[in-house]
Amino acid sequence: MLVRILTHLQDKQAAFRVIDSHAGAGVYDLTAEERAAAASGLTGIARIMQSRFSETTAPLLKPYLDIVRAFNPQRDLQTYPGSPLIARALLRPQDRLVACEVESSARKRLIDALRRDTQARVVDLDGWVALPAFVPPKERRGLVLIDPSFEQKDEFARWPTVFAQAFAKWPTGSYLLWYPGEKPPCHRRPRAACRGGGSGGSSPGTCLRLEFSVAPQQAGAALTSAGLLIVNPPWRLAAELKAILPELEKRSARAAPAGSDLRCPNPEPPPAGLSRKVP
Ligand SMILES: C[S@@+](CC[C@H](N)C(=O)[O-])C[C@H]1O[C@@H](n2cnc3c(N)ncnc32)[C@H](O)[C@@H]1O
């Protein structure tokens, strides 16, 4: 979704900014175990990279898969790019990235990965505090990515308030929130904030909610489902997801029942003169 949204932001010449509130280390070396699973084609990304997609879906996934490939010039999958480096790969000279990371070793690795990069800035700031302060960016176009650590349960409790503050200041920005499991921990309030324009009372934002599961969740086992809340998505994103999701589901499923659920609680009309496939 990150890549699809940034690809749409590139549709216009005007500059955009990506604000990554929980940025991580930037580049991940796959562990020996992950490499073995990748070599056998079992893991999600390895399986996806080896898969063939339809004529509709392949071009939609290509920009993302090209970025992952660029980090793995050798044949086997050894490295995975995190969100700031995926975003960085899609910045044009006029675009900027700001990435918040509070954990010092992750931040150091990210700074190393983005060394001497004049378009990307890594900051030692609490993303929840920085976010309302960083919006609206001077470009007035862009994306806020919020991908908190799911191990810290109280992290998500901060989202509704922070989102409402940020949305009130920047109601036209796009916001992408990742959450663990099948239900946003606070799913009513962000949507309400969206509809009501936050405390600023600006016009309503549009919202997409996507849940994706690769297997039933077993107690104590690794996470098998996650969701995305996308506020102010590019208007073509829902239609693209309708094409992408069934193919991605088939190639990611580990055990039945798996699948995805896409909802458009308050879809936006398409720009004048363009038709929209998904109501
Ligand atoms: C799930 S990871 C982010 C992964 C990243 N989006 C990626 O694709 O690689 C969450 C990161 O947020 C950092 N973090 C946790 N709380 C934070 C906060 N309040 N502000 C900024 N970063 C935080 C953690 O150290 C961790 O590196």
Side-chain angles (χ1 to χ4, degrees):
M1 289 317 99
L2 173 62
V3 173
R4 289 310 317 147
I5 294 170
L6 297 185
T7 304
H8 286 297
L9 280 167
Q10 291 179 335
D11 286 347
K12 287 189 187 151
Q13 213 26 52
F16 64 79
R17 182 169 299 230
V18 180
I19 300 167
D20 191 340
S21 67
H22 295 68
V27 188
Y28 302 99
D29 260 341
L30 301 184
T31 62
E33 205 176 291
E34 286 164 340
R35 282 184 197 180
S40 64
L42 289 176
T43 66
I45 182 61
R47 239 168 102 183
I48 286 164
M49 290 184 79
Q50 289 164 6
S51 299
R52 288 178 68 87
F53 290 92
S54 69
E55 276 179 22
T56 311
T57 297
L60 298 174
L61 293 179
K62 186 175 184 304
Y64 165 59
L65 297 179
D66 282 350
I67 294 170
V68 181
R69 266 186 217 110
F71 280 86
N72 292 280
Q74 69 295 341
R75 264 181 69 85
D76 54 332
L77 196 62
Q78 300 196 350
T79 307
Y80 191 78
S83 54
L85 291 203
I86 291 181
R88 177 62 190 95
L90 293 167
L91 298 188
R92 303 158 303 170
Q94 63 270 43
D95 305 323
R96 295 290 178 271
L97 164 71
V98 56
C100 305
E101 176 53 59
V102 288
E103 206 272 305
S104 60
S105 66
R107 188 173 58 254
K108 185 178 175 317
R109 284 171 57 197
L110 182 58
I111 290 171
D112 285 347
L114 293 168
R115 196 166 288 285
R116 283 190 282 277
D117 194 319
T118 53
Q119 291 178 250
R121 192 157 60 97
V122 181
V123 291
D124 177 9
L125 284 178
D126 180 334
W128 297 115
V129 177
L131 179 51
F134 281 175
V135 297
K138 76 172 183 344
E139 294 83 359
R140 301 269 163 173
R141 301 181 68 226
L143 172 71
V144 170
L145 169 65
I146 307 168
D147 180 14
S149 307
F150 72 91
E151 296 91 348
Q152 297 168 19
K153 295 277 179 257
D154 59 335
E155 278 290 271
F156 289 90
R158 300 172 77 179
W159 148 254
T161 310
V162 172
F163 172 74
Q165 289 168 351
F167 188 79
K169 286 180 72 184
W170 192 29
T172 54
S174 293
Y175 298 80
L176 177 58
L177 169 79
W178 179 95
Y179 56 86
E182 288 169 355
K183 202 180 248 187
C186 44
H187 66 287
R188 288 184 195 285
R189 287 197 281 167
R191 274 173 50 192
C194 233
R195 274 197 299 271
S199 52
S202 31
S203 60
T206 59
C207 201
L208 274 180
R209 200 178 124 186
L210 165 67
E211 266 115 43
F212 198 91
S213 159
V214 295
Q217 186 66 54
Q218 311 275 338
L223 199 62
T224 54
S225 58
L228 290 173
L229 198 63
I230 311 157
V231 177
N232 291 332
W235 71 271
R236 279 176 294 168
L237 189 68
E240 291 177 354
L241 285 172
K242 296 259 171 184
I244 294 171
L245 288 173
E247 296 187 43
L248 219 46
E249 276 167 25
K250 233 192 290 175
R251 290 153 183 85
S252 314
R254 288 190 220 145
S260 67
D261 181 18
L262 175 67
R263 294 175 195 197
C264 316
N266 52 344
E268 186 188 31
L274 293 168
S275 66
R276 184 187 173 98
K277 281 191 203 142
V278 177

